[in-house]
Amino acid sequence: MPDPSFKPVPYPMSPFPRTTLPTPYPHIPLPHIPASGIYIHIPFCRSRCHFCAFYLQIYREDRAQDYLTALFREIQLHVEQSTLGDRRLDAVYFGGGTPTTLQPSALGEILACIRASFGLQPDAEITVEAHPDTVTREGLSHLVNAGFNRISFGVQSLDDDELARMGRSALPDKTSTAVASARDAGFTNLNLDLIFGLSGQTLESWQSTLAQAIALNPTHLSCYALTVEDGTRLIVDIRRGDCAHPEEALQNAMEDEAVKQLTAAGFTRYEISNYSRPEYACRHNKLYWEGGEYLGLGPSAQSYVDGARFGNVEDLKAYQDLSADGCLPIAEREQLDPERRHREALVFGLRLTEGIPIDSIQAGKLDADCKAKMAQLLNEGWLEETGGRMKLTAAGRRFADSVAVELL
Ligand code: SF4
C-alpha cells in the first residue's frame, strides 16, 4: 500500500488536452541531482477493505489484459517523448491495489519492459506490494528471478477479529506463511504495512500485532494511523453507528507504543510512519521526501519530473482509451515555480526524522513569508532546531499535515 499519509500537493484542476505532453519542459536547475524512480499503479484487488479509498477495481482476467495493453502503450509513449531523458532509475515500485493479483509472469514482463525502456541503476531497489493471500512459493521465486528485490506485504493487523472487521481475508497464519515463502524464495528486503486505530483495536491487541510483526523479522515496517476517508465502507459504518471513529488519544498511545517496541527491536524511525533496520530505508518512499523525481504509470498514478507535477486519469476505461489513442493519459499538470518547489522541499523534508539542514533554509531559497511562518512554528513548539537541522518536534509530527498547510 502506498503511504496513505502522502497526499499529492493540491493544485488547480486543469484538464490536460488529449494531445501529447509539451516537451521539453522548461528545466529549472535544482541544487543537487535528485534520485529518480518509477511507480506503477496496479489497480486491482480481490476485494475492497472497508477503510480503503484507493482507486481500484475487483480483479478480472479480461480487465487485467486490457490494463496491461494500456500500460505497455503508456510506457512506449513516455519513451517516445523522452519524459525521463537519460535518468538512471534508483527505484521501481509496483503498488496498488494489489500487484500480486496479476500473474507473476505478467509482473515480470512489466519489469522487463521498464528495464528495456528506461535506464536502471544496477543496484536499483525494485519493490512489489503483495497481499499475503495472493502469493505462492513458486510465484515468489518467479518474482525474484525476474529481478524484484524487495517485497512489501499489506498485513494491517495480526488479529483475527480486526482483520475480519475490516473485510480482510488473510488470517495471521497466512501472513507468516507468506513471509516465510518470500524469504525462502530469496527476498531479503521485506516490509510489513500495519495500521493502528482500527475498529475494536485495543492498545493490548496493537502491542500483540507489533510483537508478532517484529517476530517475523522484517527489514522495514510501516505503521499508519487509520484515517477515515470519504467513499469507504468504514465511513458508512461509522455514520450508521456500527463502529466507532478512531480515538485520537488511543491512536497517540498506539503510535508511542510502536516507537517504543520498534526502537527496542533495533528499528530506526526515519519518517513519521516508517521504521527500518540500518540501510533498509525505502528508497522509493524517500524520493517523495527528498525532492526526488518519479514517473507514475497506470491509472491515478502521480508524477514529479522536471519541476512539474502531473497525474493520470483515475478511471481505468479512460486510461485505456487515451493510451489506445496514442495520448499520455494525463488528467492534470502543473509546472511549479521555484518558490513553490522550495516550499514543497521544506514540507516533505520535514517528514523525515533527520529533518532538513538549516543551511538550505538560510541559503535564501525560501521567501520571507515562509520564513516568518517557520519562526512562528518554532515559537509554538511544532518545529525545533537541533544539530544544524530543522525538524518537527514530537508534537509537530502528530500534526505534520497542519504544519504543511501553514508552510505551503
Ligand atoms: S488490499 Fe490494499 S489496496 Fe486493496 S482494498 Fe485492501 S487496503 Fe486497499
Side-chain angles (χ1 to χ4, degrees), residues 293-305:
E293 299 183 299
Y294 46 92
L295 176 64
L297 304 169
S300 79
Q302 303 293 313
S303 302
Y304 179 54
V305 180

Side-chain angles (χ1 to χ4, degrees), residues 15 41 84 122 204 207 219 235 348 383:
H41 188 72
L84 288 180
E204 291 68 34
Q207 286 168 333
T219 49
I235 201 167
F348 292 137
L383 294 179

Side-chain angles (χ1 to χ4, degrees), residues 125-397:
E125 174 193 271
I126 302 173
T127 303
V128 60
E129 287 185 347
H131 187 299
D133 242 3
T134 58
V135 294
T136 62
R137 169 68 176 77
E138 191 189 1
L140 289 162
S141 291
H142 190 103
L143 295 177
V144 169
N145 292 336
F148 290 89
N149 54 27
R150 184 173 186 273
I151 190 161
S152 173
F153 283 110
V155 173
Q156 319 314 354
S157 166
L158 287 161
D159 180 284
D160 289 1
D161 293 339
E162 290 166 15
L163 289 165
R165 270 195 296 272
M166 67 177 116
R168 304 268 301 180
S169 54
L171 296 175
D173 58 343
K174 266 274 170 61
T175 296
S176 45
T177 303
V179 167
S181 298
R183 211 164 261 131
D184 239 30
F187 280 105
T188 53
N189 192 357
L190 201 147
N191 171 60
L192 306 178
D193 276 349
L194 302 176
I195 294 187
F196 57 93
L198 294 165
S199 172
Q201 194 175 36
T202 62
L203 188 55
E204 291 68 34
S205 68
W206 173 239
Q207 286 168 333
S208 168
T209 283
L210 283 168
Q212 291 177 71
I214 291 166
L216 293 172
N217 199 21
T219 49
H220 191 285
L221 276 150
S222 300
C223 299
Y224 299 114
L226 177 71
T227 52
V228 180
E229 306 279 352
D230 283 338
T232 58
R233 158 92 183 261
L234 177 62
I235 201 167
V236 174
D237 287 349
I238 289 173
R239 284 183 185 143
R240 275 205 305 243
D242 292 346
C243 64
H245 200 280
E247 276 175 50
E248 190 180 320
L250 179 57
Q251 275 190 313
N252 288 345
M254 289 173 166
E255 185 178 355
D256 291 343
E257 184 63 27
V259 174
K260 190 174 104 189
Q261 281 205 35
L262 295 175
T263 305
F267 290 85
T268 300
R269 184 188 200 183
Y270 68 95
E271 193 268 346
I272 293 171
S273 308
N274 288 282
Y275 305 77
S276 77
R277 299 250 182 237
E279 310 299 325
Y280 284 98
C282 175
R283 278 194 242 165
H284 174 80
N285 284 352
K286 286 185 83 175
L287 291 174
Y288 298 141
W289 306 312
E290 293 184 337
E293 299 183 299
Y294 46 92
L295 176 64
L297 304 169
S300 79
Q302 303 293 313
S303 302
Y304 179 54
V305 180
D306 276 339
R309 292 202 180 280
F310 48 99
N312 279 354
V313 292
E314 206 173 80
D315 180 71
L316 184 55
K317 177 79 168 61
Y319 170 75
Q320 289 164 184
D321 288 348
L322 283 164
S323 300
D325 286 353
C327 303
L328 284 173
I330 292 172
E332 49 193 4
R333 177 178 184 276
E334 184 190 29
Q335 184 72 45
L336 306 185
D337 61 31
E339 189 178 297
R340 174 76 180 190
R341 293 171 69 185
H342 291 305
R343 282 186 180 229
E344 287 196 3
L346 169 69
V347 163
F348 292 137
L350 284 173
R351 291 189 65 90
L352 293 167
T353 306
E354 64 183 16
I356 53 170
I358 289 178
D359 290 357
S360 69
I361 300 167
Q362 290 169 341
K365 307 289 185 199
L366 293 169
D367 56 282
D369 175 54
C370 187
K371 283 185 178 165
K373 282 189 175 148
M374 285 183 72
Q376 187 188 334
L377 291 164
L378 273 163
N379 275 338
E380 291 170 351
W382 307 111
L383 294 179
E384 62 184 352
E385 286 182 29
T386 53
R389 303 185 76 91
M390 181 72 70
K391 303 174 186 177
L392 289 169
T393 58
R397 274 199 287 272

